[in-house]
Amino acid sequence: PSYGWDWSMLNVAKRWDHFLIVGAMVDGVAVKALIDTGANQTILNGKLRDALGLAEGQPGVTTGKLALTDAKMLKTHIGPIVLDRTRWESLEVQAGDLPLFKALGLSEAPAMVLGNDALKQVRLFVDYAGDRIYLTRPAAPALVGAESPPLTGQ
């Protein structure tokens, strides 16, 4: 891909040489976003939850526990989420203080895990050697000639 009208390019900071973190905006709040293709859902840390004014008992906010953990979480819709020209208008998220945020140094400022609920809506290209990612806009039309060539030598 190349940076242009259909692709956003973002420089990444790496943690432990493979966790990719980019700058983003969530409803006007500057955040660090961990790009996590292994996460099923987007998760906000406590600082971002507080910056957005999300609290238990508000309309549209429910509580529960994150799957396979005992972590108390809030669940709601937020938006927009913006990474350069890639923009999600609304996304259902969970919010809570998970140990992952502290382990990656992302607990003291607004941060989020951008999971597959968002990433499956875009084309994502990771350039590890170049320390950058490329993203299309959500639901972007198929690119001309985007069909994969047949595999050979198998």
Side-chain angles (χ1 to χ4, degrees), residues 8-140:
S8 293
M9 182 191 75
L10 294 110
N11 293 319
V12 301
K14 292 182 193 167
R15 300 281 162 82
W16 301 339
D17 200 41
H18 60 275
F19 287 104
L20 305 176
I21 300 174
V22 298
M25 295 293 289
V26 176
D27 200 15
V29 177
V31 305
K32 291 184 179 179
L34 170 67
I35 305 299
D36 191 348
T37 60
N40 289 330
Q41 189 166 23
T42 296
I43 301 172
L44 316 180
N45 73 355
K47 295 288 186 184
L48 181 52
R49 174 197 62 216
D50 296 345
L52 295 175
L54 302 174
E56 190 173 340
Q58 287 181 323
V61 178
T62 60
T63 60
K65 294 192 179 211
L66 187 64
L68 304 176
T69 74
D70 287 328
K72 183 178 178 183
M73 305 294 282
L74 298 181
K75 188 182 231 182
T76 191
H77 282 83
I78 62 165
I81 299 171
V82 181
L83 282 74
D84 191 45
R85 289 188 304 253
T86 302
R87 179 184 180 104
W88 293 266
E89 292 300 329
S90 178
L91 193 65
E92 184 178 78
V93 299
Q94 293 192 49
D97 290 310
L98 298 180
L100 172 70
F101 290 114
K102 186 172 184 179
L104 292 174
L106 297 174
S107 61
E108 298 303 316
M112 65 189 293
V113 171
L114 190 63
N116 274 332
D117 56 334
L119 296 174
K120 70 182 179 183
Q121 299 176 33
V122 300
R123 290 178 179 85
L124 169 66
F125 177 84
V126 178
D127 177 2
Y128 278 99
D131 292 334
R132 62 185 156 245
I133 63 169
Y134 296 85
L135 296 162
T136 59
R137 298 178 193 154

